[in-house]
Amino acid sequence: MSKFKFAIAGCGVISKTHATAISALSSDAELVAVCDVAEDRARKLAQDFGVKKIYTDYEKMLLDPEIDVVSVCTPSGMHADMAVLAADAKKHVIVEKPMDITLSRADKIIEAQNRNNVVISIISQHRYSDCMQLLKRLTAEGKFGNIVLATSYTKWYRSQEYYDSGSWRGTWSLDGGGALMNQSIHYIDMIQWIVGKVVEVFAYCTTRAHRRIEVEDGAVAVVKFENGAIGEIVGTTSAYPGFETRLEIFGEKGSAIAVNTRLESLYFKDGSEKEYLEIYKKEEDGSAGASSAAIKEEGHVRQYRDVINAIKTGTKPLIPAEEGRHPVEIILAIYLSSLTGKPVKLPLESDDEVLKEIEKIKGKGF
């Protein structure tokens, strides 16, 4: 196969990042179709990237034999339905984060991946950054020793106009949550991927700075990791004008701080940090603190390249469907803790309890 032919479903803000990533891999990938229920959005993306095929009917697009891979960029609560349809049509799939907004729906994607023997990858582009890859390796090698404390901070700003720009934004049914599920999920994925499995959370969520949203615009959670470390997850969309994301790791033998995807600080008691600092102390990915439109494409390019390689070699990508489930589970546990006022242990047996609690506050916010 000379090139893999891609289609994008959902032509909103993030679709341009996906289209640009596909274009950057022109020797292996080509964007051949776009789809959106709003034809004007589809037509605009098609014009910007020289795409001839424009669809407003997703299932009709899936009948196109030319398409090899579908990138799902629709509202979060639509991801599972669309990913499953694509997989059942024997298309490979890339799904924007979160993979969906409940565990039962996330599991449907995993089942479709395995049933159809296709590649499904969930967007978590920061995993591909040099900085996060380094921190993952250093942790696995034991360079920090026993990790004592790890923190994830996503202190961003989204205006009321942002939430008003789409009827799905800030709703439980399609957004599935707020500052955590939509924005902080990136660094929630980073902390659990690098530091280890989260086994318990205790949290507070609140809705204070935005009107007409059902979900949180601020959250703080204390977390316990399987390896004994403790930590904190903080997320907000109310930190005007929007600040950098931070991941911090503090262990018995050393410490590290990443800001966005730049290695800000690295210290080891044996002084060995010097060999890493000059190579890794640079920023790769733009901060989306003030706007999702500020996201740079390099992380997406690397993830798309990884997916293409997985398809070619018959192997799994770095982030197969089952990996995308982990941050969703942590976020749902945080919501459940906030709504019940109790610590919540992971893994969750199901999301029935949290969905029942969410139902009680729909239309009200936290």
Side-chain angles (χ1 to χ4, degrees):
M1 182 179 290
S2 56
K3 287 188 181 184
F4 290 95
K5 305 299 177 65
F6 283 78
I8 292 176
C11 300
V13 174
I14 200 63
S15 66
K16 184 177 179 181
T17 301
H18 286 256
T20 302
I22 295 165
S23 299
L25 299 169
S26 58
S27 61
D28 286 314
E30 181 183 1
L31 181 60
V32 298
V34 297
C35 179
D36 198 292
V37 292
E39 186 176 352
D40 59 332
R41 283 201 301 260
R43 194 166 298 282
K44 176 66 166 63
L45 187 67
Q47 289 173 347
D48 288 347
F49 288 88
V51 176
K52 294 180 180 179
K53 294 182 181 180
I54 299 170
Y55 291 91
T56 56
D57 184 323
Y58 180 64
E59 293 189 43
K60 184 177 179 180
M61 185 185 78
L62 293 179
L63 295 174
D64 188 337
E66 186 183 21
I67 296 169
D68 303 305
V69 191
V70 176
S71 299
V72 177
C73 300
T74 51
S76 305
M78 300 171 66
H79 288 177
D81 290 342
M82 301 185 79
V84 169
L85 283 171
D88 286 345
K90 308 303 180 184
K91 313 293 187 186
H92 304 287
V93 192
I94 295 175
V95 185
E96 249 303 334
K97 57 77 194 164
M99 65 187 297
D100 206 281
I101 58 177
T102 71
L103 296 181
S104 57
R105 294 174 67 79
D107 288 339
K108 288 181 180 179
I109 298 178
I110 297 169
E111 291 162 6
Q113 169 191 259
N114 298 337
R115 180 173 66 247
N116 292 288
N117 194 30
V118 295
V119 171
I120 298 183
S121 186
I122 314 303
I123 289 292
S124 188
Q125 73 271 21
H126 298 317
R127 285 201 192 190
Y128 293 87
S129 73
D130 293 344
C131 173
M132 297 304 174
Q133 289 278 331
L134 173 67
L135 294 181
K136 173 72 171 176
R137 176 162 62 87
L138 294 175
T139 302
E141 292 172 354
K143 287 287 289 184
F144 298 106
N146 286 326
I147 295 176
V148 178
L149 180 69
T151 59
S152 164
Y153 298 134
T154 305
K155 299 175 181 177
W156 289 0
Y157 179 72
R158 294 294 183 265
S159 66
Q160 184 63 44
E161 289 73 23
Y162 163 83
Y163 286 104
D164 292 342
S165 68
S167 59
W168 67 279
R169 295 192 185 278
T171 66
W172 287 113
S173 60
L174 286 176
D175 219 351
L180 296 182
M181 190 68 84
N182 199 310
Q183 283 81 24
S184 306
I185 190 169
H186 287 294
Y187 268 55
I188 293 172
D189 185 46
M190 290 305 96
I191 200 171
Q192 67 87 27
W193 181 59
I194 293 170
V195 178
K197 186 184 296 184
V198 173
V199 296
E200 188 171 345
V201 304
F202 181 79
Y204 293 101
C205 299
T206 188
T207 311
R208 293 183 58 82
H210 297 92
R211 303 177 304 282
R212 300 182 296 280
I213 69 171
E214 301 177 329
V215 298
E216 83 287 356
D217 57 14
V220 176
V222 177
V223 302
K224 186 185 295 184
F225 296 90
E226 187 177 45
N227 59 18
I230 58 174
E232 183 183 35
I233 291 170
V234 176
T236 184
T237 52
S238 305
Y240 181 81
F243 297 88
E244 296 168 314
T245 46
R246 296 175 69 86
L247 178 70
E248 302 176 344
I249 300 171
F250 305 103
E252 61 175 336
K253 296 180 181 179
S255 302
I257 297 175
V259 177
N260 295 335
T261 52
R262 182 181 71 250
L263 184 62
E264 180 74 8
S265 301
L266 183 66
Y267 298 97
F268 292 119
K269 287 183 178 179
D270 63 7
S272 60
E273 70 272 5
K274 295 179 181 65
E275 63 185 277
Y276 305 107
L277 282 173
E278 289 306 314
I279 300 173
Y280 290 95
K281 200 169 184 180
K282 63 182 187 298
E283 186 172 10
E284 297 172 339
D285 221 353
S287 171
S291 169
S292 56
I295 296 172
K296 293 181 181 177
E297 293 85 12
E298 178 58 29
H300 283 73
V301 171
R302 293 184 183 192
Q303 183 156 1
Y304 268 80
R305 185 182 292 118
D306 179 45
V307 169
I308 290 169
N309 182 66
I311 297 170
K312 284 181 175 180
T313 59
T315 57
K316 285 197 176 244
L318 177 63
I319 314 170
E322 52 269 27
E323 281 292 303
R325 189 183 192 275
H326 301 317
V328 174
E329 182 179 36
I330 294 168
I331 292 166
L332 290 173
I334 290 172
Y335 291 156
L336 181 58
S337 176
S338 179
L339 290 167
T340 61
K342 300 175 183 178
V344 173
K345 292 186 181 297
L346 291 89
L348 297 177
E349 291 185 9
S350 75
D351 48 20
D352 291 346
E353 188 178 357
V354 64
L355 297 180
K356 287 178 183 176
E357 293 295 330
I358 287 171
E359 196 65 34
K360 295 175 185 177
I361 65 164
K362 276 191 175 179
K364 304 174 186 176
F366 276 91

